[in-house]
Amino acid sequence: IFNLVSTFKELPYPAISLQIVGKGKDTERLLREIKDDNRISYLGFKKTEDLYKIYQHSDVLLVPSEWDEPFGRVVIEGNANGLPVIGSNRGGIPEIIQTTEGGEIFENGADNNLFNVMKKFIEDTDYNTYYDKILKNIDIYTIEKQSAKFSRLYSK
């Protein structure tokens, strides 16, 4: 999250905002990091229904994981709520984004990679290509299809 915050602060666009949702052990540090940029707000942990409302009022979902997310369910939730996702190249995140074609992957630790991907989304706000691909591909992650896949796998 701290890489995301510092990268976001470098973006010279006064009309953009970053809402951070979730909880973690470094909340106090996060609050100190964001206090000097009024474009960034920390919303804390949200229940599912409140989270979906936030999704509906957002343009893009950022998933900056630095550890290997085994599955990255939040990426699917974002896509299912119509959001293109900017996700790190860790764990299952790239596979989901590649499958849905619903976003872009950035390389953690690469110089300016996250900055450049975020800048691309800010400057090119026509997300219709992402929306069309998400609509076409997101159903692969329905609970019914996932359950059937797991059942077949376990049966083998």
Side-chain angles (χ1 to χ4, degrees):
I1 196 70
F2 298 106
N3 180 41
L4 171 61
V5 168
S6 65
T7 302
F8 183 86
K9 286 180 173 185
E10 294 173 20
L11 293 165
Y13 304 94
I16 63 171
S17 65
L18 175 64
Q19 294 180 320
I20 301 170
V21 177
K23 63 180 180 178
K25 63 180 179 173
D26 290 330
T27 303
E28 292 302 318
R29 177 180 166 205
L30 176 62
L31 293 172
R32 284 192 306 273
E33 294 282 331
I34 67 173
K35 74 178 180 180
D36 61 337
D37 193 329
N38 62 3
R39 302 173 302 163
I40 306 173
S41 56
Y42 173 65
L43 305 179
F45 176 81
K46 296 293 177 186
K47 294 180 182 176
T48 302
E49 60 270 11
D50 295 328
L51 183 59
Y52 285 3
K53 287 177 188 172
I54 293 167
Y55 286 155
Q56 292 165 7
H57 292 97
S58 299
D59 296 316
V60 176
L61 175 65
L62 289 135
V63 183
S65 295
E66 291 183 355
W67 70 287
D68 291 327
E69 292 275 351
F71 187 60
R73 186 98 191 134
V74 69
V75 176
I76 296 166
E77 287 178 359
N79 277 171
N81 280 277
L83 291 176
V85 175
I86 298 172
S88 65
N89 65 335
R90 301 303 298 257
I93 294 171
E95 180 181 347
I96 296 167
I97 292 173
Q98 290 164 350
T99 299
T100 65
E101 300 179 66
E104 298 290 332
I105 301 162
F106 72 92
E107 188 173 336
N108 256 328
D111 287 343
N112 294 324
N113 190 246
L114 176 57
F115 178 90
N116 291 332
V117 174
M118 290 169 66
K119 186 174 184 247
K120 172 187 172 186
F121 273 81
I122 294 166
E123 293 179 353
D124 181 10
T125 58
D126 180 10
Y127 303 144
N128 288 330
T129 303
Y130 295 107
Y131 299 147
D132 293 342
K133 291 176 180 177
I134 290 168
L135 282 172
K136 185 176 104 182
N137 299 317
I138 193 64
D139 72 326
I140 194 169
Y141 290 112
T142 63
I143 194 69
E144 295 81 15
K145 287 188 179 182
Q146 289 294 300
S147 296
K149 263 185 174 178
F150 288 132
S151 292
R152 284 191 304 273
L153 182 63
Y154 290 136
S155 294
K156 288 182 179 181

